[in-house]
Each structure stands twice: as structure tokens, then as C-alpha cells.
Amino acid sequence: LLPQYAQAGFLALELELAAGKVVGIEIFDRSSQRIEIRMVPDEDASALEQSDFEFIPPEGVEVFDAS
């Protein structure tokens, strides 16, 4: 895949498919670097819970609220 806009942060992106599913992604950036991402099935995968996405900052950490 090629970016639609010249200002995009990458030159090209390639998807690797197997049985209709994405199993890999390669990103070629403007610094001539290649980033490779592999999708590996998690044998011990369990359903995600809402609590998996909750963040409780450690004590003493200042939290900036932009809202």
C-alpha cells in the first residue's frame, strides 16, 4: 500500500495475508528503515474485560487532565 498524501510518515506498507487474515505488516519509513510486525496467535487467549483497560496511576504521580 502506498500513502495517499506526500506528508505521510511512511513510504509504503505491505500486508501479509494467510487464509484471509493479516499475519504480518511491513512498514517502510522515510528514514529508509523497515519495521516488521508479526501477528502470532495467543494459545492462552482469554476474553478481554473492561478492567483490562483501566489505568490507575501510581501514588505520587501528577496527572494532567486536559478535559
Side-chain angles (χ1 to χ4, degrees), residues 19-31:
K21 295 183 180 182
V22 176
V23 295
I25 302 172
E26 281 188 87
I27 303 167
F28 300 90
D29 72 12
R30 297 197 167 280
S31 301

Side-chain angles (χ1 to χ4, degrees), residues 37-57:
I37 302 168
R38 291 275 162 222
M39 312 311 186
V40 179
D42 186 355
E43 311 271 324
D44 298 327
S46 59
L48 294 173
E49 303 291 333
Q50 182 65 33
S51 62
D52 293 328
F53 298 94
E54 293 175 7
F55 174 72
I56 301 170

